[in-house]
Amino acid sequence: MATELQRFAQLLEASLDPKQNKQAELALRQSEQQPGFSVALLQIVASESYGPTIRLASALCFKNFVKRSWTDEDGRHKLPSNEVATIKQELIGLMIAVPPTIQSQLGDAIGIIAESDFWERWDTLVDDLVSRLTSDNPTTNNGVLQVAHSIFKRWRPLYRSDELFTEINHVLGKFGAPFLSLFESTDRSIEQSNLDKQTLRQLFSTLNVMVKLFYDLSCQDLPPIFEDNLVAITSLLHKYLTYDNPLLHTDDESEAGPLEHVKSGIFEVLVLYVQKYEDAFGPHVEQFVRSSWNLLTTIGGETKYDLLISRALQFLTSVTRIPHHAQAFNDKSTMGQVIEKVVLPNLSLRESDIEMFEDEPIEFIRRDLEGSDSDTRRRAATDFLRGLSSQFEQMVTEVVFDYVGHYLAEYSKNPRTNWKAKDTAVYLYSSIAAKGTITSSQGVKSVNSFVNVLDFFQSNIASDLFSDTEVEPILKVDAIKYLYTFRSQISKDQWGQAFPLLVKHLGSSNYVVYSYAAIAVERVLALTDDVHRPVVGQEHVVPLSQDLLEHLFTLIERDSAPEKIQENEFLMRCVMRVLIVIKAGVVSLADRVLAHFVKITELISKNPSNPRFYYYLFEAEGAFIRYTAPDQPEKLETGFYAPFVSILSNDVQEFMPYVFQLFAALLEASHSASLADYYKSLIRPILSMEVWLSKGNVPALLRLLTSIIPRAASEMASNNQIESILGIFKYLIGSKTNEVYGFELLECVISSFPPATLQNYYIPVMQLLLGRLQDSKTESFSLRFVRFYHFVSAKQDESLGADFFINITEQIQAGVFTQLYMGIILPDTQKLARPLDRKTALISLTKTLTDSQAFIEKYKKGWGYSCEALLKLLQNAPLPAATDDIIVEQDVDDMSFGVGFTQLTTIRKPSRDSWPEIADVKTWARNYLKMANARTQGRIDLFGRERLSAEVNEALTAYLQ
C-alpha cells in the first residue's frame, strides 16, 4: 500500500505541472477503479510527510472523486460498503485536524456526501460532531463547526418540504442545545482572553463560524430553541455587533479582519430575522438600528470595511420595508441627517474606487454593474435610499433634490476640479428616480412620479456624451450608465439620436468607457417595445455593422495573451448581439468575421479561463453560422474545421459541448442530403463510447450524431456502425439522466435506416425498453416510451405501424402488448404535453383505427378504447407551430458554467416534426377517417356502432360526415 500511496502522490504532484497535468489526471481517473482509492487519498491528506500542495491536491481529488462516484442515479452507493464506512469514520476527525485551506475542500466533500446520506444513512454524524465540541479548545471547535456548516448551509436555497424539516428537526434536537451552550462558553472565553491576541483571534474564528451556523439553523424557520432563548441570543449578537478590541484590529486597509467578519455575519442574520421573523424579533430591532447608525456614522472609509458597511445598510434597508419600523425615518430633518451622514459618505467616490477604475478596470465594471452580486458601499447605499423612497417618496425626493442641486452647483464652479461632485449628483438622482426591480432585459421599468429622467439627462448629462475633450472618464461612464439604466424610458425616436453616441464611445481609449459603451449598446440592441419589436432595428445597425464589429474585435484582440483576450466578456456579448440583430447582414462581412472568430478560438483554447466570455464567443459563432452558413457553407466549414478539431483532439473539455453543437449547426445548414467528407471524419470519434461518458457532451453529441445519421445511413450500415450506434442507445437508455436522449437517438435510427436493415435489432431494443419499464420505470421514461410507440405506430406507410410494434412485443412475450397498451400507452397518451407529441399520438391513433389488422380482428375492445382516446385528443388538438426568427435567450446570471452542457440559444435546434406536411392535424384526421371509411365500405362506421357507446359513437360519426 505504501508503494501505491507514493505513486498516487507522484501523480498528484504531476497534476500540478502544466506540462504533465493531462497525463497525470488521466492516470488518476484510471486509478479510481482500484479498491481503496478514496481512502488512499485521505491517507495522503492526513500525512504530514507530504508537502502542503500535494495534500491539498489530494483533498481536491478526493472531493471530485466523491462528486462523481459516491452514489448512482438512484442514490445507491457506488463504492463498497466497507469503503463508505471507513470514509465516514475518518473524514470528520481528519477535517478537524488539517489546515484551513484543506478543510474547505474536505468540507465540500462532506457536503456532497451529506446531500445523499444525511441524515438517514448517516444518523450518527450529529452525535459525533457534538461529542467533539469542547469548552476550552477553539482549534478543535473550529474544525467541528466548519464540518457542521458545510452540511447545514445546504439548507439555505432549498424549498420547504416535509423531508427538509424532518432533517432540520433531527439536527436541532441533537445540536441546538450544545450549540447555544458553546455560544455562551465562547463568550465567557472571549471575556477571559481579552488580552491574549492569539487566543482571542481563535475564539473570534469560532464566533464567526457560529454566526454562520446560526443563520443556517434559522434559514428555513425559527427554531423553537432559538425563539425560547431569543432575549439571550439577541443580547449576545448585539454585544458583538458593538464589540471592539485593539488586538483584533488589522493594519491592512484593504483586508477585513476578525471583527469585520463577525459583525458582517451578524448583520446577515439580522436581515434574515427582520425579513422572516419580525413578529418574534420586532421588539429587538430598535437597539440594532441605533447601533447600525452609530457604526455607519463613525467607521472609516477603508476598503476593509466595505462588506461590513454593505451588510449594515442592507439591514437598514430591510427595516425600511416594514412600515411601522420605517416611521423612525418619517421626518424631513431626520431624513436629511440620514442622507448626509449615512448615504452620501457611502455613495460618494473614494480614492480606492478611482484607483480600481484606473488599475483594475474590469473589476470596477463587474462591481459597479446593476445586478452584480458584489457587496459594494455604493450599491448598498443606493438600495437603502430606494427603500426609504418607497415609503416616503415625496419627502425623500425633496431632500435629495436639495443635495443634487448643491453638488451640481459645486461642479459648475470648477468642472475640472469638482467633477466628483457631479458624479455624486448623478448617482443620487438615479437612486431615487428608479422604482421597483431593475431588470437585466429592460432596465428601469417604473420611475419616481416626482422626477423627469429625460429632462435631467438633457440638462445635466448629455453634454458629457457630446463633448470630445475635458470630460473626466468617470463622468462619461456615468452618462452611459444613465442611458443604460433608464433605457426603457427613452422612446424609439430618442434612441435614434442617442444610439450613435453610445457607438461613438466604443472608440474611447479608456477601458471602462468603451466597456460600458459595449454593455449599453448590447442591452439597447436587445430592447423591445410592448409588441416585441426592436427599439433599434436591423435597418439602423446594418450600416454601422462593419465598423462596429471590426472595432469590437480590435478591442478584444489588443492583447494576444489567452487570459487577456477573454478577460472582457462584455465586448464579446456585444459582438454576439450585433450578429443577432443584423442577421443576414453579416454575409457580406463573412471573411473578416470568420478570421476573427478562428483567431480568438485558437488562442483561448490554449487556456480557457473565463466561462462567460467563451459562452458569448460560441453564441456569437452560432449566430454567425445561423445567418451565414446557408449561403456560404463551404467557407464556414473550412474556416472552423481546424480550431474545432484541435479542441476535440486536445480534449479541451470546457469547449467540447459547444463545438459539437456548432458542428451540428454547420451540418444542418447544408442543403445536401448526403454527408460531405468534411463530416465523415467525425463519425468514428463520436461513435467512441468514451466521449459519451462526459455528461456535458451527451446532448451536444446526440444533436451532431442525429444530424449525421440521416445523411450517412447507407454508408454507416455498410461500415457495420449500426451496432456502435445502438451501443450508445443502450448506454443512454440505462440512465435516468440520459433516457430522453436514448429515445431521440432510437427514433432517428428507425427513421433513417430501412426496416430490413434493422431486422435483427428490433427485439433486443424492445427487450431493453421493456426491462426498464419493469425494473426502474420513471414518469419521464413512461411518457417517452408512449411517444415512441406512437412514433412507430404512425409510420404505417413506412413498413412500420401498430401491427409491426405488436408483432415485435409479442415475440418477446405473448400477451405483453395488451398489458402495455391498457396499462401504460392509453392512460399516458393523454398526459403527453408537447404539441408535437400530441400530434404524433393523434396520427398514430387515427391510423390504428383505420389500418391495424390486429385492432380490427384481435383487439376489438382495444379499438373502442383507442377511438375514445383519439376523440379526447381531438378535443384539444395541437395547433400548427408558429414560425419566427426570435432567439429566446437564457439569463446568463442564472446559468452555471463548467465542464457541462450549456445550450447555445442562437442555434437552438427546433423540435423535429416527422409529419410537416400535416399542418392542421384535426382536419387531417377528419379527412383520413372519412377516406378510410369510404375505402373499406363503411367499416369505421360499422365498428363505431358495434364497439362504442352511443355517446362516443355520435362523436365519431361527426368526423365521418
Side-chain angles (χ1 to χ4, degrees):
M1 188 62 188
T3 305
E4 280 295 273
L5 281 182
Q6 191 59 38
R7 186 175 75 85
F8 292 154
Q10 289 170 351
L11 288 173
L12 290 165
E13 187 172 25
S15 71
L16 304 173
D17 181 354
K19 296 179 181 179
Q20 307 178 66
N21 64 334
K22 286 205 177 289
Q23 300 93 319
E25 287 168 4
L26 180 61
L28 284 167
R29 287 296 297 271
Q30 292 169 345
S31 300
E32 290 179 4
Q33 308 306 316
Q34 294 181 218
F37 174 74
S38 59
V39 176
L41 292 177
L42 291 181
Q43 289 175 326
I44 293 172
V45 172
S47 174
E48 295 185 1
S49 62
Y50 299 104
T53 55
I54 293 177
R55 294 174 70 194
L56 178 59
S58 190
L60 180 60
C61 185
F62 175 80
K63 178 186 78 173
N64 292 332
F65 172 75
V66 165
K67 189 183 296 184
R68 289 189 298 269
S69 306
W70 189 254
T71 57
D72 61 19
E73 289 179 319
D74 296 315
R76 295 184 293 259
H77 289 133
K78 294 165 74 173
L79 301 177
S81 57
N82 61 331
E83 195 166 336
V84 168
T86 301
I87 289 170
K88 289 180 178 179
Q89 183 178 338
E90 300 297 331
L91 194 51
I92 306 303
L94 179 57
M95 180 173 167
I96 291 169
V98 296
T101 52
I102 299 176
Q103 271 186 350
S104 65
Q105 299 300 329
L106 294 182
D108 289 344
I110 290 171
I112 294 165
I113 294 172
E115 193 71 45
S116 67
D117 286 25
F118 187 72
W119 62 281
E120 291 178 326
R121 291 195 294 187
W122 202 359
D123 58 357
T124 60
L125 174 60
V126 180
D127 292 323
D128 186 9
L129 293 174
V130 169
S131 71
R132 295 173 187 269
L133 291 173
T134 73
S135 60
D136 58 359
N137 189 333
T139 301
T140 298
N141 290 340
N142 288 346
V144 173
L145 296 174
Q146 286 288 0
V147 173
H149 177 52
S150 69
I151 297 168
F152 306 156
K153 70 181 179 182
R154 297 163 31 254
W155 301 333
R156 295 191 182 196
L158 300 180
Y159 291 109
R160 299 167 69 96
S161 68
D162 291 343
E163 295 80 5
L164 175 61
F165 277 79
T166 299
E167 180 179 323
I168 293 173
N169 288 333
H170 167 80
V171 169
L172 287 169
K174 295 172 178 287
F175 192 77
F179 174 77
L180 290 181
S181 297
L182 182 62
F183 208 160
E184 293 171 349
S185 66
T186 301
D187 172 50
R188 290 193 297 271
S189 297
I190 289 172
E191 290 290 343
Q192 295 162 6
S193 307
N194 62 353
L195 298 177
D196 182 343
K197 183 175 182 177
Q198 183 176 354
T199 303
L200 197 59
R201 283 181 168 268
Q202 287 182 322
L203 289 166
F204 260 75
S205 292
T206 304
L207 190 59
N208 186 35
V209 187
M210 293 196 74
V211 171
K212 292 177 183 178
L213 275 165
F214 189 79
Y215 189 108
D216 298 338
L217 295 167
S218 306
C219 65
Q220 291 290 336
D221 203 359
L222 178 58
I225 191 170
F226 289 177
E227 187 170 11
D228 294 343
N229 293 276
L230 200 54
V231 173
I233 291 170
T234 53
S235 175
L236 282 173
L237 291 175
H238 188 261
K239 174 180 179 177
Y240 287 103
L241 189 65
T242 56
Y243 183 89
D244 193 22
N245 188 320
L247 295 179
L248 296 173
H249 293 181
T250 59
D251 296 328
D252 190 335
E253 293 189 358
S254 60
E255 194 71 32
L259 273 176
E260 291 76 50
H261 286 305
V262 167
K263 292 181 180 184
S264 298
I266 291 172
F267 274 122
E268 193 174 17
V269 167
L270 295 180
V271 170
L272 174 71
Y273 270 65
V274 166
Q275 290 177 343
K276 293 194 71 168
Y277 313 123
E278 198 276 333
D279 54 340
F281 187 63
H284 306 281
V285 168
E286 187 178 342
Q287 62 177 328
F288 289 104
V289 171
R290 288 197 303 270
S291 299
S292 302
W293 173 266
N294 291 335
L295 184 148
L296 289 166
T297 54
T298 58
I299 202 164
E302 296 88 344
T303 55
K304 67 180 178 181
Y305 299 125
D306 283 3
L307 179 61
L308 175 55
I309 294 295
S310 297
R311 293 279 172 80
L313 287 166
Q314 288 165 16
F315 165 64
L316 290 181
T317 303
S318 67
V319 171
T320 64
R321 294 198 177 109
I322 300 172
H324 66 272
H325 288 311
Q327 289 305 312
F329 303 101
N330 191 11
D331 175 80
K332 199 165 185 179
S333 174
T334 302
M335 189 65 68
Q337 292 285 306
V338 168
I339 292 171
E340 183 165 328
K341 295 185 176 181
V342 174
V343 174
L344 286 172
N346 293 299
L347 188 137
S348 302
L349 275 174
R350 298 169 298 167
E351 284 305 313
S352 60
D353 298 321
I354 298 171
E355 288 174 8
M356 180 177 288
F357 183 94
E358 295 170 349
D359 300 336
E360 300 177 80
I362 193 67
E363 185 62 24
F364 178 91
I365 295 165
R366 288 178 182 145
R367 290 191 181 195
D368 186 58
L369 261 182
E370 192 73 50
S372 162
D373 57 2
S374 298
D375 289 303
T376 66
R377 293 190 186 214
R378 278 198 144 185
R379 171 128 333 98
T382 297
D383 290 344
F384 178 42
L385 192 54
R386 284 179 185 158
L388 291 169
S389 183
S390 69
Q391 297 288 346
F392 316 109
E393 185 173 72
Q394 184 172 357
M395 180 175 66
V396 170
T397 303
E398 290 172 358
V399 174
V400 167
F401 270 17
D402 289 342
Y403 284 100
V404 169
H406 164 75
Y407 283 111
L408 288 176
E410 284 296 304
Y411 169 74
S412 63
K413 291 176 186 177
N414 190 335
R416 184 183 292 274
T417 303
N418 297 341
W419 62 268
K420 290 182 190 175
K422 184 172 183 179
D423 172 81
T424 302
V426 171
Y427 253 89
L428 263 179
Y429 188 90
S430 300
S431 297
I432 60 156
K435 288 178 66 175
T437 302
I438 300 177
T439 67
S440 62
S441 60
Q442 301 286 320
V444 172
K445 290 290 289 178
S446 178
V447 295
N448 184 330
S449 56
F450 298 100
V451 305
N452 187 318
V453 294
L454 294 180
D455 281 353
F456 186 80
F457 175 76
Q458 291 165 349
S459 302
N460 301 290
I461 299 175
S463 58
D464 292 336
L465 285 179
F466 284 105
S467 176
D468 292 326
T469 58
E470 297 184 354
V471 176
E472 278 291 328
I474 287 182
L475 293 185
K476 284 193 176 291
V477 170
D478 288 345
I480 295 168
K481 187 179 178 185
Y482 191 93
L483 288 176
Y484 160 80
T485 302
F486 295 104
R487 57 190 179 274
S488 289
Q489 307 304 313
I490 302 172
S491 70
K492 190 167 186 174
D493 290 340
Q494 290 165 333
W495 268 122
Q497 300 172 14
F499 185 72
L501 286 175
L502 292 179
V503 174
K504 168 188 160 187
H505 282 82
L506 287 169
S508 171
S509 60
N510 184 277
Y511 189 105
V512 181
V513 173
Y514 70 65
S515 297
Y516 246 116
I519 291 165
V521 165
E522 189 277 327
R523 286 291 80 195
V524 172
L525 289 179
L527 192 63
T528 58
D529 61 18
D530 292 336
V531 292
H532 305 295
R533 292 174 304 196
V535 170
V536 179
Q538 181 184 14
E539 68 279 7
H540 295 106
V541 184
V542 169
L544 305 171
S545 59
Q546 181 173 346
D547 292 339
L548 184 53
L549 287 168
E550 195 62 38
H551 190 68
L552 286 166
F553 281 124
T554 300
L555 292 173
I556 292 168
E557 297 169 9
R558 59 171 33 177
D559 188 327
S560 61
E563 65 277 8
K564 294 301 291 182
I565 278 187
Q566 57 195 306
E567 174 184 73
N568 193 329
E569 66 267 21
F570 307 109
L571 297 175
M572 186 52 74
R573 187 177 189 180
C574 193
V575 169
M576 175 199 76
R577 181 65 53 201
V578 171
L579 292 173
I580 290 172
V581 170
I582 67 173
K583 297 183 170 65
V586 73
V587 173
S588 61
L589 314 175
D591 290 337
R592 290 296 302 146
V593 172
L594 177 60
H596 285 299
F597 278 143
V598 169
K599 178 181 178 181
I600 293 169
T601 304
E602 287 177 340
L603 285 170
I604 72 169
S605 65
K606 298 173 183 175
N607 182 24
S609 59
N610 184 351
R612 289 176 181 242
F613 178 92
Y614 56 73
Y615 165 72
Y616 289 128
L617 168 66
F618 290 122
E619 284 283 22
E621 291 179 356
F624 181 57
I625 289 169
R626 176 177 181 151
Y627 298 118
T628 309
D631 291 314
Q632 304 181 21
E634 295 84 5
K635 178 180 289 184
L636 269 63
E637 288 170 350
T638 303
F640 280 124
Y641 188 79
F644 286 178
V645 168
S646 174
I647 286 166
L648 300 182
S649 60
N650 290 317
D651 195 30
V652 185
Q653 294 185 17
E654 299 91 334
F655 288 4
M656 288 171 69
Y658 294 121
V659 167
F660 291 133
Q661 290 179 76
L662 293 169
F663 264 137
L666 280 169
L667 176 55
E668 290 157 7
S670 171
H671 302 300
S672 174
S674 60
L675 193 68
D677 291 340
Y678 179 91
Y679 299 101
K680 288 179 181 177
S681 63
L682 299 175
I683 293 177
R684 194 171 299 279
I686 68 171
L687 290 181
S688 165
M689 185 56 68
E690 185 178 345
V691 74
W692 291 84
L693 298 179
S694 173
K695 288 191 295 186
N697 286 344
V698 169
L701 272 171
L702 179 81
R703 178 175 179 180
L704 179 55
L705 182 55
T706 54
S707 297
I708 287 174
I709 289 172
R711 294 170 171 85
S714 176
E715 188 171 341
M716 296 178 90
S718 300
N719 293 334
N720 298 317
Q721 290 173 322
I722 292 177
E723 289 193 9
S724 297
I725 297 171
L726 293 177
I728 294 167
F729 157 75
K730 181 179 179 181
Y731 166 72
L732 296 175
I733 213 72
S735 158
K736 292 178 182 177
T737 303
N738 296 323
E739 60 193 20
V740 63
Y741 304 119
F743 277 110
E744 194 171 330
L745 178 58
L746 180 59
E747 290 178 5
C748 176
V749 168
I750 288 175
S751 295
S752 304
F753 293 99
T757 305
L758 299 175
Q759 190 63 44
N760 295 331
Y761 304 110
Y762 287 124
I763 290 178
V765 164
M766 189 61 67
Q767 286 173 326
L768 277 174
L769 297 179
L770 296 183
R772 268 295 311 270
L773 280 173
Q774 182 175 346
D775 298 334
S776 53
K777 183 180 80 168
T778 63
E779 180 76 7
S780 169
F781 186 91
S782 178
L783 288 173
R784 284 304 268 128
F785 178 82
V786 170
R787 184 216 136 90
F788 172 67
Y789 164 78
H790 287 303
F791 175 81
V792 174
S793 171
K795 288 184 172 290
Q796 178 75 31
D797 51 349
E798 298 179 33
S799 302
L800 298 172
D803 290 349
F804 173 86
F805 193 97
I806 293 167
N807 180 48
I808 296 297
T809 54
E810 291 296 299
Q811 287 184 61
I812 295 171
Q813 180 183 332
V816 74
F817 178 75
T818 301
Q819 299 173 36
L820 285 174
Y821 198 70
M822 299 304 296
I824 297 175
I825 294 171
L826 275 185
D828 285 1
T829 291
Q830 303 302 328
K831 297 179 184 177
L832 295 173
R834 296 193 311 170
L836 285 178
D837 292 351
R838 294 178 68 82
K839 176 180 179 179
T840 302
L842 208 152
I843 295 169
S844 158
L845 290 170
T846 303
K847 291 183 177 180
T848 295
L849 297 183
T850 58
D851 302 323
S852 169
Q853 290 302 310
F855 277 87
I856 291 169
E857 299 170 1
K858 184 177 180 181
Y859 303 116
K860 295 180 180 180
K861 288 185 178 180
W863 193 96
Y865 294 136
S866 299
C867 187
E868 290 178 15
L870 173 63
L871 292 171
K872 283 183 182 178
L873 285 176
L874 286 169
Q875 289 173 5
N876 185 24
L879 298 172
T883 57
D884 55 47
D885 197 32
I886 296 172
I887 295 173
V888 180
E889 296 178 56
Q890 305 170 88
D891 187 342
V892 73
D893 293 323
D894 294 335
M895 297 162 63
S896 58
F897 296 102
V899 183
F901 177 73
T902 301
Q903 170 74 56
L904 293 176
T905 57
T906 52
I907 51 169
R908 185 187 296 274
K909 187 177 182 180
S911 298
R912 180 175 176 271
D913 186 353
S914 298
W915 294 272
E917 69 280 4
I918 302 175
D920 184 342
V921 72
K922 192 168 187 177
T923 300
W924 173 88
R926 181 187 300 275
N927 293 335
Y928 199 91
L929 287 168
K930 285 168 66 177
M931 287 189 293
N933 194 46
R935 171 167 41 89
T936 59
Q937 292 78 48
R939 187 173 65 198
I940 310 297
D941 194 20
L942 174 65
F943 283 0
R945 294 193 301 272
E946 292 178 348
R947 302 180 182 184
L948 300 175
S949 67
E951 183 181 357
V952 176
N953 184 47
E954 183 180 352
L956 173 64
T957 302
Y959 284 93
L960 299 176
Q961 302 302 318

